[in-house]
Amino acid sequence: MNRIFLDVHALQTVPPSNLNRDDTGAPKTAIYGGVPRSRVSSQAWKRAIREYFSDEHLLDPSELGVRTKKVVELLADRIQDGDPSVGRETALALADETIKATGLKTEVPKRKADKARATEGAADPAPEAKYLVFLSARQLDGLACLAGDSAADPAAFWKQKENKDKARGIADTRHSVDIALFGRMVADATDYSVDAAAQVAHAIGVHRVEIESDYFTAVDDEAKEEETGAGMIGTVDFNSSTLYRYAALGVHQLADTLGEGLREDEPRTEPVRRAVEAFVHSFVASLPTGKINTFGHHTLPDAVIVKLRTTRPVSYVAAFEDPIRGDQGGHVREACDRLAAYVPDIERTYGDQASTQTWVLRVGPNTQKLADLGTESDTLTDLVTAVGQAVTHLLDKPA
């Protein structure tokens, strides 16, 4: 298969906010170009992307997975959905044995077990995985069917090597889109690890940033007139920044990982196209929700550049190594001017311009200089559709 890489670049201005906190509660930062910059971790934005898949119904639930320690309860739910006559305790026991048969480790959490013993009439807590387990909906459905097959005599069923092999095979095929995109790591069962097709960089500010603090008070609604003072006081840290965001997607790797999950009633490129379109849409439109009720930082990117290439991923973050000073009264215009100058230079020097396709989505006059970098899209929907069609065409080409 041809090597195909998709680069997505975005400039997004965020007002006073605290999208992603460090261990002290302050917005995360990084030193770049010798000055502190606002930073939003890749984990925070990947979580937002995964949630956007579901919230906006970009992908069918059957194409998504779930990452949880409560995999035994999740599997027990599916067992009971398939056979409502199975009691809850039996379903949990069948689910636990099935998860263990895959080689994943489970245990009853000690704290929950102690609390149950101390509470009269409380049911024993369900076993949980010792770590977060990322399984696709199809993998869970397959394991639920296998658990049903073991119901007559679980001990005898799981003594047979072919049944354990079957469980392991189910847990390691037909991966969901989010597993294929963001990968899966199981420290004590490395056979289950899946390399991520997508890499999401930490978003960083294009200019120097200072953390500020908001001192707030809350008034007691029932306070009497003679009762002075606030009902509560506190502080919350925040900053504001124009962020450069970047993600790279190995489309060929995504196709390889999704290969086992292709449906027989559609062309082999269709699941890949859907996954690519959902990823581009979600990367552009999603937003981490840290302190969102406090700050209401609902913004969208001012500019998006998408590159489809067959060489290697290329970030444009070096355009902002020298921090923007804001001499023009803001940061977006100068950031766009920087990209408009930097992108052609680095593509001419290192890129394969003949095989690279470029699309631009932009808003407002501050982004005008980006218009010449590629084919302009009027809407995000148009951009996503154009990228999906181009990916399909490249996947269909002979290697």
Side-chain angles (χ1 to χ4, degrees):
M1 180 183 294
N2 297 310
R3 281 160 50 93
I4 307 169
F5 296 100
L6 188 72
D7 290 333
V8 189
H9 316 262
L11 288 173
Q12 183 165 354
T13 297
V14 184
S17 57
N18 190 341
L19 281 74
N20 186 207
R21 287 166 278 178
D22 64 17
D23 57 341
T24 69
K28 288 184 177 179
T29 58
I31 301 294
Y32 184 62
V35 301
R37 314 285 186 103
S38 177
R39 177 172 67 91
V40 181
S41 73
S42 61
Q43 294 91 334
W45 226 299
K46 282 188 281 191
R47 171 72 175 175
I49 292 169
R50 286 183 56 223
E51 290 181 332
Y52 200 87
F53 287 156
S54 300
D55 293 346
E56 300 301 318
H57 308 291
L58 297 182
L59 292 166
D60 188 83
S62 66
E63 296 182 286
L64 295 173
V66 61
R67 188 174 61 180
T68 181
K69 288 184 177 182
K70 299 181 179 181
V71 65
V72 173
E73 293 181 72
L74 204 61
L75 189 56
D77 292 341
R78 275 173 159 77
I79 293 169
Q80 290 188 293
D81 288 342
D83 185 357
S85 67
V86 177
R88 187 61 180 174
E89 286 189 15
T90 300
L92 287 169
L94 290 173
D96 190 36
E97 290 300 319
T98 302
I99 294 298
K100 287 177 178 175
T102 68
L104 301 173
K105 292 181 171 57
T106 67
E107 64 181 359
V108 175
K110 184 177 185 303
R111 184 176 297 178
K112 291 184 179 180
D114 292 344
K115 184 177 180 181
R117 281 194 292 268
T119 305
E120 187 176 350
D124 292 334
E128 295 182 5
K130 291 185 176 182
Y131 31 70
L132 290 171
V133 175
F134 204 172
L135 291 172
S136 73
R138 291 173 180 175
Q139 288 165 353
L140 287 166
D141 288 341
L143 290 174
C145 289
L146 198 58
D149 294 340
S150 74
D153 190 347
F157 185 86
W158 293 119
K159 276 184 181 178
Q160 298 180 37
K161 183 179 181 299
E162 59 267 30
N163 291 331
K164 286 188 176 181
D165 289 343
K166 219 180 268 188
R168 289 176 177 271
I170 290 171
D172 201 28
T173 54
R174 299 173 71 80
H175 296 299
S176 60
V177 168
D178 41 3
I179 290 176
L181 285 170
F182 302 122
R184 179 174 73 184
M185 189 191 76
V186 183
D188 59 4
T190 54
D191 290 348
Y192 289 133
S193 294
V194 177
D195 290 335
Q199 301 167 350
V200 178
H202 290 235
I204 67 167
V206 301
H207 53 88
R208 184 186 187 99
V209 74
E210 301 292 342
I211 295 178
E212 302 178 71
S213 292
D214 175 36
Y215 172 81
F216 66 87
T217 64
V219 177
D220 188 330
D221 289 346
E222 294 297 315
K224 301 292 188 283
E225 186 174 343
E226 64 272 15
E227 295 177 323
T228 60
M232 182 180 73
I233 60 174
T235 61
V236 59
D237 291 335
F238 67 92
N239 60 22
S240 58
S241 184
T242 296
L243 299 168
Y244 169 75
R245 300 172 49 210
Y246 170 70
L249 174 60
V251 178
H252 55 287
Q253 184 178 336
L254 176 67
D256 285 343
T257 305
L258 291 179
E260 293 291 336
L262 301 183
R263 296 194 331 226
E264 296 178 0
D265 61 340
E266 63 182 2
R268 66 180 182 84
T269 57
E270 277 303 290
V272 185
R273 179 192 60 78
R274 286 198 302 272
V276 168
E277 290 184 356
F279 177 74
V280 173
H281 190 146
S282 295
F283 177 80
V284 172
S286 63
L287 186 68
T289 56
K291 291 286 184 181
I292 200 163
N293 290 336
T294 301
F295 293 103
H297 52 263
H298 296 281
T299 66
L300 287 163
D302 295 279
V304 178
I305 303 170
V306 178
K307 291 269 187 181
L308 190 61
R309 61 175 86 241
T310 57
T311 50
R312 52 152 286 186
V314 180
S315 169
Y316 299 146
V317 69
F320 309 109
E321 193 270 343
D322 180 20
I324 289 173
R325 268 60 179 181
D327 298 336
Q328 302 177 25
H331 300 105
V332 174
R333 183 188 297 274
E334 189 174 343
C336 290
D337 292 353
R338 290 271 192 98
L339 285 179
Y342 181 80
V343 173
D345 272 355
I346 197 165
E347 291 293 339
R348 175 184 52 79
T349 305
Y350 293 106
D352 183 358
Q353 292 173 298
S355 66
T356 300
Q357 300 177 64
T358 308
W359 297 267
V360 175
L361 179 70
R362 61 184 189 83
V363 178
N366 287 336
T367 64
Q368 179 62 45
K369 287 193 176 180
L370 298 180
D372 296 333
L373 293 184
T375 302
E376 281 207 82
S377 298
D378 290 333
T379 67
L380 177 56
T381 300
D382 292 341
L383 172 68
V384 166
T385 301
V387 172
Q389 290 173 345
V391 164
T392 300
H393 176 71
L394 285 177
L395 289 173
D396 283 335
K397 286 179 64 175

